Amino acid sequence: MTGYRLSHGGGRIDRGQSIDFSFNGKRYAGLAGDTLASALLANGVQLVGRSFKLHRPRGIVGAGCEETNALVQLEHGLSSIPNVQATMIALEEGLVARSINAWPSLTWDIAGVNDRLRGLFSAGFYYKTFMWPDWHWFEWLIRRAAGLGKVPVVPDPQRYEARHVECDLLVIGGGRRGLAAAAQAARDGKSVLLVDLDQGLPSLEGVRTFEKTAALGIWDHGFVLAASEGRVLHRIRAEQIILATGKQERGIAFANNDLPGIMLAGAIGRYVADYAVAPGRSGIFFVNNDLGWRSAIEAAQCGVGVRAIVDPRPQVLPELADRARAHGIDLFFSSLVQSAHGRGRVTGVTIEKPDGLSRLACDFVGVSGGWNPASQLWTMAGGQTKFNERSQSFQPDGLVANVEWAGPEPIEAEPIWTVHGGDEKTMFVDFQTDVTVADIKLAARENYRSVEHLKRYTVLGMGVDQGKLSSVPGAMILAETIGAKPGTLSASKVRPPFVPTAFGLIGADLRGERFRPRRYLPAHEWHVREGAVFEDFGWERPAAYPVGREDIQAAAEREAAAVRSGVGLFDGSPLGKILVAGPEAAAFLDRVYVGTPSTLKPGRIRYGLVLNENGTILDDGVYARLQDGSFLLSPSSAFADRMVRLLEDLLQCEWPMDVVVQDVTEQYAVWTVAGPNARNVLEALQPSFDLSSERFPHLSVREGKLDGSEVRIQRVSFSGELSYEIQVPAGQAVQMGDALMAAGKPYGLVPYGIEALEILRIEKGYIHVGTDTDSETQPGDIGFGGAIAKKQSDFLGRRALTRRSSLSPNRKLLVGLTSLCGGILPVGGHVRAPSGQSGGFVTSSQFSPVLGRGVALGLVEQGQRRLGEIVEIVSLGKRWQARISETVAYDREGGRLDT
Amino acid sequence: MMRIACPNCGLRDEREFAYGGEAHIDRPELDCDDQAWEEYLFLRANPKGEHAERWVHVHGCGVWFNLIRHTETHEVVAVYVMGVARP
């Protein structure tokens, strides 16, 4: 016989409301208030899954979050959630659940053959079995066999949210002690939050209550993560936490103790009392503590057939024995259940009595091996535990800041962990990961004598239940095996989350589009109008503006050629704009830049490098001296935020000077007009100052009006052409873009994007820090050795440049690389050194429309001293011949900067 | 997840701050020897106990400050402004 619904009782169910659900494709009916587990039991479903390694048939063991066997795949519309405990699922109309880890079906599972071969699958068998000749030979097989449920194939359609909660007192656990603590604190005027895994808590005045909410872990300073129904993540900050998390029952390892129908005694008690569900008609209880007796007696009182109670102790309280006898239960003292029998479900047990063995038939077994305090959250918070002889468990001990333990009194239990005499290979300690007494003994023989080593070697406690049932018995059996005093080995460390939790919930509000904010240029709509294709460079930036059926590459080549022959318009708004002002601004910047900003005249601009203290280039960019005591720095777009942080760090911590730093990057848009006709375009917009090279030379800055708007214009060039960078308030970006487009029309002005800029800069040998440099590149490597030698004073990274490694002749230096066949060299391709090893690599590479061939930059060992040499470049099995050349491939004299 | 008392803004969640490494590392003079520079760049204390470190209230007022944290319990023992000696 199997489980069924009792005709009366059941505090949680509503007999008037039937609920249809499906399990493994078959339809069943449960009642409102059921969990999936109680409904399955009531329908007589005993087999719910297969074990992880041996694929043995398994049934429901527990009634709450300690459940280790009954993991199901929950399917709901598109979503498919693996490894959900059936005991934690509230039954809903139309619920669809499947067993995991069984193929092709639960009852006829091919991998069940593993159980026959279980001699092979001992602890550490992966390490031993798949060593020869190489474990990768077996990888495909192991990966198919590993894991429990199925990973969903579509993105998680579930919506998660995160909330922040603060309270004076957080009570975790809504049992008697938790409720009392919460009520008292509320009366004392504290703001109190009570969370509990279950539902149906009484409402208390002044207490906020979160039901169906699991505390996942405790971190520093009263920080707790909790999950409501797996959908809402609460980030709780509590001044004080009370842990009233109660207790958890544990099993006893006897032969075949994993047969379906063998359950925790307390779980049987809960199914009977809460759901009016009996696990069978005729049961035997194997218990070593009084609470186990109470579960048996209560089940009998509710009309469940209880045949016998087996207890290793010689006697119990007369009151318990009398009550049990009154229900017709046979009592066996000083006795043990030595083994269980049955195929696919339990049909009987062998009892070891003082006068010998005898066999009893039954259709369910309730086991109680004692009770542990649910101290997982306590130990996560850093709390210690101490072995308690009476209860044979590890009780919270000592003090933890902000956290108080309010668990139950220890429950006396006889020390019994294994029943000797049976087949130890079928005496299961961790059901979910198939760890047996034999595995633990093997681990001990092979000298895995610490609980953490035992855990790694046998996977004891590594399942989704995190060893709630198994880690204490596992540690005790190990101690027994190696002859250690009981309690000298505590259970292995427990980690968050306390209950299985979806990754999506941990990310909660930071998924998808909300993971990182998109940053749009002030003139975004303008670019959309001009047909830009955008790419994410920290900002959404136009990669190119394709015309007709052009692809990005073709568009970029057309745009780059247009800049060289006429004029182009580029949106450089993300370029960093940092104001540094104050009496000591110049002296401060002298310490920051490789160059010497203090020698710069107002109105002029200079190129500069910033290093870290290790001598590595962090950024290159220009800085302008606006007035005597104020500078405008233009770090690269990618470095702008970090540059502000660096300057603040130096000013506040290293060199307190009379300087202020202000980041105005986002206040201004930047339009770059570049090309031989750039000046003509600006002239058409009636500038308030003279644009001629005599009055406004290359590398200078002017403030004034253009097309009636206040602008600041920097004459700098990242394209090698005559170029003006026009800064306007961000709000006027579109208006200025339109004006420049209109003014440029007679000159064939085209907008150009990042891809075209890339071509232009590589042609000119202008580096892009982070692309053409890596974490080893120093100024000397890119041709700035001379500038450093001239500067007298100290600056960031200067000392590092005098180390032996910085002066080595073998450093990788920046060079141009010209493909002999005219093609495009692969970025990342390695320059083969005479030794056959890598002697450098290609950093940037593009097709140059103006030169009609590929242009590339690379970091090559001794590069600048090897100009003209032919090298071989290797990438992904292909080879190219290339000549080492000057970095500048186009307009080496720079005449085009000033046409 | 610690709570840290910013000298300007008061008690805030750790996520508003960024860690800046060990505090009180003096930058040597330019003419120091290689060993002194190596120690400045790379060698850091790693105590089990109280550790002086630099933090910045990056999603707040932007101030850098020192604090002493117990590396085992994450207890914040002291917070003090830049330029002040370790208490």
Side-chain angles (χ1 to χ4, degrees), chain A residues 761-766 782-783 813-818 851 853-858 863-869 883-893:
Chain A
R761 75 154 182 93
I762 298 172
E763 287 171 346
K764 287 294 296 177
Y766 294 148
I782 59 162
L813 309 178
L814 188 75
V815 289
L817 291 165
T818 312
L851 295 172
R853 62 171 171 86
V855 285
L857 297 172
Q864 285 291 335
R865 288 185 286 281
R866 296 163 62 189
L867 294 181
E869 199 178 302
R883 178 179 284 114
I884 298 180
S885 52
E886 293 283 358
T887 50
V888 191
Y890 179 73
D891 186 31
R892 202 157 297 163
E893 297 72 33

Side-chain angles (χ1 to χ4, degrees), chain A residues 304-505:
Chain A
V304 181
V306 179
R307 196 171 165 195
I309 297 177
V310 182
D311 194 322
R313 297 175 294 180
Q315 60 187 46
V316 291
L317 294 174
E319 174 240 336
L320 280 179
D322 291 345
R323 283 177 61 197
R325 283 197 192 95
H327 287 288
I329 304 174
D330 290 339
L331 306 183
F332 297 91
F333 293 104
S334 304
S335 300
L336 301 163
V337 169
Q338 198 197 54
S339 58
H341 313 290
R343 278 181 68 89
R345 51 164 294 102
V346 65
T347 54
V349 293
T350 297
I351 302 178
E352 186 185 324
K353 297 179 296 185
D355 57 352
L357 301 175
S358 67
R359 198 162 161 153
L360 289 183
C362 63
D363 61 4
F364 73 93
V365 178
V367 182
S368 181
W371 295 81
N372 303 320
S375 57
Q376 287 92 342
L377 291 165
W378 171 261
T379 53
M380 281 180 210
Q384 300 295 311
T385 58
K386 193 176 171 191
F387 186 63
N388 181 288
E389 198 86 29
R390 244 181 106 228
S391 63
Q392 295 285 307
S393 66
F394 297 91
Q395 289 287 331
D397 188 53
L399 294 172
V400 179
N402 313 91
V403 184
E404 189 184 320
W405 172 254
E409 286 300 311
I411 290 152
E412 189 167 343
E414 184 75 3
I416 168 142
W417 308 98
T418 60
V419 180
H420 300 286
D423 176 6
E424 288 180 349
K425 285 199 170 74
T426 66
M427 291 165 58
F428 286 85
V429 182
D430 189 329
F431 293 163
Q432 196 173 97
T433 57
D434 279 334
V435 179
T436 63
V437 173
D439 290 326
I440 295 173
K441 290 192 170 175
L442 177 68
R445 275 205 302 285
E446 297 185 346
N447 211 26
Y448 292 88
R449 290 167 167 247
S450 112
V451 287
E452 301 297 347
H453 290 158
L454 174 75
K455 180 174 175 178
R456 260 74 204 164
Y457 199 59
T458 63
V459 295
L460 177 90
M462 294 227 273
V464 298
D465 60 338
Q466 286 276 292
K468 289 189 180 71
L469 276 172
S470 61
S471 62
V472 170
M476 299 303 282
I477 294 168
L478 178 66
E480 209 172 271
T481 309
I482 64 176
K485 216 169 136 249
T488 47
L489 298 180
S490 66
S492 56
K493 178 121 181 114
V494 186
R495 296 189 183 80
F498 175 69
V499 294
T501 304
F503 278 118
L505 180 75

Side-chain angles (χ1 to χ4, degrees), chain A residues 102-300:
Chain A
W103 186 85
S105 81
L106 182 60
T107 43
W108 198 78
D109 175 33
I110 281 183
V113 72
N114 287 5
D115 188 29
R116 307 254 185 87
L117 305 173
R118 61 179 173 259
L120 286 177
F121 296 100
S122 60
F125 85 99
Y126 290 103
Y127 310 121
K128 293 167 182 166
T129 312
F130 302 112
M131 289 301 288
W132 186 91
D134 182 327
W135 89 273
H136 287 104
W137 283 37
F138 309 99
E139 187 181 349
W140 66 275
L141 192 123
I142 295 170
R143 293 220 183 273
R144 241 175 63 151
L148 291 168
K150 284 202 166 53
V151 177
V153 291
V154 293
D156 187 355
Q158 179 71 57
R159 288 185 60 151
Y160 303 97
E161 62 175 295
R163 297 179 191 163
H164 291 262
V165 189
E166 287 193 22
C167 59
D168 296 329
L169 176 71
L170 169 66
V171 179
I172 301 175
R176 196 173 45 83
R177 301 189 73 154
L179 290 173
Q184 183 59 47
R187 279 196 295 277
D188 293 346
K190 291 181 177 165
S191 66
V192 183
L193 174 63
L194 174 71
V195 304
D196 192 272
L197 269 175
D198 226 324
Q199 56 185 324
L201 294 177
S203 68
L204 298 173
E205 176 125 6
V207 177
R208 261 186 305 175
T209 307
F210 293 169
E211 298 184 323
K212 294 199 228 171
T213 300
L216 304 176
I218 298 183
W219 286 266
D220 308 310
H221 303 182
F223 184 70
V224 175
L225 281 184
S228 287
E229 299 185 63
R231 282 169 209 168
V232 182
L233 183 75
H234 302 284
R235 301 192 178 114
I236 304 169
R237 184 69 79 170
E239 292 296 328
Q240 181 70 20
I241 299 164
I242 290 182
L243 290 177
T245 42
K247 57 189 185 299
Q248 286 161 348
E249 203 167 16
R250 57 196 187 222
I252 300 172
F254 53 86
N256 286 322
N257 63 334
D258 66 328
L259 278 172
I262 302 180
M263 304 172 69
L264 289 172
I268 294 174
R270 277 189 63 185
Y271 284 117
V272 171
D274 291 348
Y275 307 101
V277 168
R281 302 276 175 191
S282 169
I284 287 169
F285 280 77
F286 177 28
V287 300
N288 68 346
N289 62 85
D290 293 353
L291 222 51
W293 281 71
R294 292 186 197 283
S295 299
I297 293 165
E298 274 163 32

Side-chain angles (χ1 to χ4, degrees), chain A residues 800-861:
Chain A
L801 301 179
T802 61
R803 287 180 309 180
R804 200 163 5 126
S805 66
S806 304
L807 303 169
S808 158
N810 290 327
R811 294 187 65 82
K812 293 191 182 81
L813 309 178
L814 188 75
V815 289
L817 291 165
T818 312
S819 165
L820 291 192
C821 66
I824 302 172
L825 297 171
V827 172
H830 283 276
V831 176
R832 189 192 279 271
S835 65
Q837 303 284 307
S838 172
F841 51 94
V842 180
T843 56
S844 292
S845 180
Q846 271 286 3
F847 180 77
S848 161
V850 69
L851 295 172
R853 62 171 171 86
V855 285
L857 297 172
L859 286 166
V860 180
E861 277 177 9

